[in-house]
Amino acid sequence: MLDCIIVGAGPAGSAAAYHLAKQGRSVLVVEKASLPRYKPCSGGVSPAIAQWFDFDFAPAISLHVTRLRYTWQLEDAVDAKLKDSQPMWVVRRDEFDRYLLQQAQQQGAQISPETTVTGIQFQGDHWQVSTNREPLTARYLIAADGANSAVSQWLGFKPVQPRPAGILEVQTEVSDPPVIHFDFGSIKNGFMWSFPKADGYSITAASFRGNAPKDLKSVLLDYAKSVGIDTSNSQYYEHGLAVWESDRPLHAQNALLVGEAACLVDPLSGEGIRPAILSGVKAAQAIDSALGGKASALEDYSAAIAEEWGADMAWAQKLAGAFYRFPGIGYKAAVKRPSATELMGKILCGQLRYGEVAGRALKRLSGGLLRG
């Protein structure tokens, strides 16, 4: 009988495993893929995650980036540099996820790759988990199986509709200094972004509301050609983003949802790794407390995520609604402002919350609309 089974070896599941194992709890992470495994992701990571761990992430970071470029339909460029904020980390997810999982293993967590969960059943005081291998039992269960989480549906949560995204992984020479590029206006209700890695670029297009373009691959190839990126050695993938829409319970009988299974992706920026790790850390604390006898621990987890992430995502959603409704005005009135880069950098680094700047930003967008 394990203390906890975690389904999914991404950042959320691995963070939960690390902190539970560190508290001496018996933890098993099951992952359907062989490890390490590729995960479609641009790889931008906020350095704010370091505060939740006591080890150095340096071996898992591909690049530190301070320079950004914004464009409107590939024109009207704005070049900016993070000054007061920490550099953004850019990672390759196979390496980053493996590193975080290794830290969990060093604390005593067990890992079972190539193990597909086929069903779950609560029996009295524990979960019976059926897999393509042997059945497993644990007192608690964490669903960390991503945007199309099967475990969350088996727990009784309504299925979500992830937002469509496409990513072009390109192996090529990278500019020096490396630059993160955001292009607005080329994708309706969304944007494109290009993150440099040590040996190439991850170029992503995503739509956050309404109808998405039907052929994201062509959009990305055209973008790469326009900015001079050689795509002769590239691979295209499609994936979904489980974007935050509203607060909802994230706990069930002896079970919690984390990461994209909990729909925590930022509806304005598309950031997903920081909230995933935050939820994994909070889930570990909750289950450790529940194992210690605290009856309200899992309910408290839902409340903590709503307070520490959901409250700010409500503001992000309002900003996204205003921006994507009139993106051209939003680009001129907000994105091009010299302070915009530093403000967003501080938000991503955990130094600011959307709620602290949203009022002023919405006023600027409204003012730009009136002038337009």
Side-chain angles (χ1 to χ4, degrees):
M1 175 73 70
L2 294 157
D3 288 325
C4 185
I5 291 172
I6 300 171
V7 183
S14 297
Y18 175 84
H19 284 286
L20 276 170
K22 191 175 181 182
Q23 293 303 314
R25 305 301 185 179
S26 57
V27 184
L28 173 66
V29 180
V30 296
E31 166 60 48
K32 64 182 179 181
S34 59
L35 297 171
R37 53 95 176 92
Y38 171 76
K39 165 69 176 177
C41 180
S42 52
V45 180
S46 167
I49 69 165
Q51 66 186 298
W52 301 318
F53 300 91
D54 56 4
F55 56 84
D56 187 3
F57 276 92
I61 301 171
S62 180
L63 286 178
H64 292 84
V65 183
T66 60
R67 296 179 181 272
L68 298 91
R69 167 168 287 191
Y70 308 102
T71 54
W72 173 257
Q73 296 179 352
L74 298 178
E75 298 181 352
D76 195 15
V78 177
D79 291 300
K81 185 177 180 179
L82 292 171
K83 298 177 182 178
D84 298 329
S85 305
Q86 298 181 56
M88 284 294 298
W89 298 351
V90 185
V91 305
R92 287 203 173 279
R93 283 290 303 277
D94 53 348
E95 298 171 358
F96 181 81
D97 291 9
R98 176 175 59 180
Y99 182 75
L100 186 52
L101 195 61
Q102 286 172 340
Q103 305 308 307
Q105 284 180 289
Q106 289 176 16
Q107 295 297 326
Q110 302 175 62
I111 314 297
S112 181
E114 299 182 54
T115 302
T116 301
V117 174
T118 57
I120 59 174
Q121 185 177 12
F122 193 69
Q123 298 183 341
D125 63 351
H126 67 274
W127 283 101
Q128 182 83 19
V129 179
S130 300
T131 75
N132 61 325
R133 299 185 175 188
E134 70 278 3
L136 306 167
T137 57
R139 293 183 62 188
Y140 289 89
L141 181 67
I142 293 179
D145 51 337
N148 296 300
S149 172
V151 176
S152 68
Q153 294 183 49
W154 293 333
L155 288 169
F157 293 91
K158 292 182 179 180
V160 300
Q161 186 62 47
R163 297 301 306 166
I167 184 166
L168 191 67
E169 296 283 14
V170 184
Q171 288 191 337
T172 187
E173 186 175 348
V174 177
S175 63
D176 185 22
V179 178
I180 296 172
H181 182 200
F182 298 94
D183 181 68
F184 302 94
S186 298
I187 296 288
K188 187 176 181 180
N189 294 315
F191 59 100
M192 291 189 291
W193 59 97
S194 172
F195 275 63
K197 309 289 175 68
D199 57 353
Y201 295 90
S202 294
I203 309 172
T204 305
S207 177
F208 292 88
R209 56 184 59 215
N211 296 324
K214 293 183 179 180
D215 190 356
L216 288 172
K217 182 178 181 179
S218 295
V219 170
L220 289 169
L221 287 170
D222 289 345
Y223 163 84
K225 182 179 180 181
S226 298
V227 298
I229 295 176
D230 180 8
T231 60
S232 57
N233 188 5
S234 64
Q235 183 68 45
Y236 174 75
Y237 303 89
E238 290 188 352
H239 62 107
L241 296 174
V243 175
W244 185 94
E245 293 183 351
S246 63
D247 286 329
R248 61 182 181 129
L250 301 177
H251 64 282
Q253 177 69 61
N254 287 37
L256 297 176
L257 309 185
V258 297
E260 287 202 67
C263 298
L264 298 181
V265 173
D266 186 323
L268 179 62
S269 71
E271 182 189 14
I273 296 176
R274 178 166 59 116
I277 290 179
L278 170 65
S279 67
V281 172
K282 294 295 180 182
Q285 293 171 353
I287 289 178
D288 182 58
S289 293
L291 287 164
K294 187 176 181 181
S296 66
L298 302 195
E299 184 178 350
D300 291 347
Y301 165 77
S302 290
I305 295 299
E307 178 182 353
E308 298 186 34
W309 188 252
D312 223 32
M313 291 305 97
W315 283 110
Q317 191 177 64
K318 290 178 182 178
L319 287 168
F323 182 87
Y324 293 129
R325 187 179 179 190
F326 302 104
I329 293 170
Y331 184 75
K332 294 177 181 178
V335 176
K336 289 186 67 176
R337 291 181 65 88
S339 61
T341 295
E342 211 54 48
L343 287 174
M344 183 55 74
K346 288 182 178 180
I347 287 171
L348 294 174
C349 290
Q351 298 170 279
L352 272 178
R353 292 171 67 94
Y354 281 117
E356 297 177 73
V357 300
R360 285 174 290 166
L362 289 169
K363 285 181 180 179
R364 290 193 195 105
L365 290 172
S366 299
L369 179 60
L370 291 172
R371 289 192 296 273

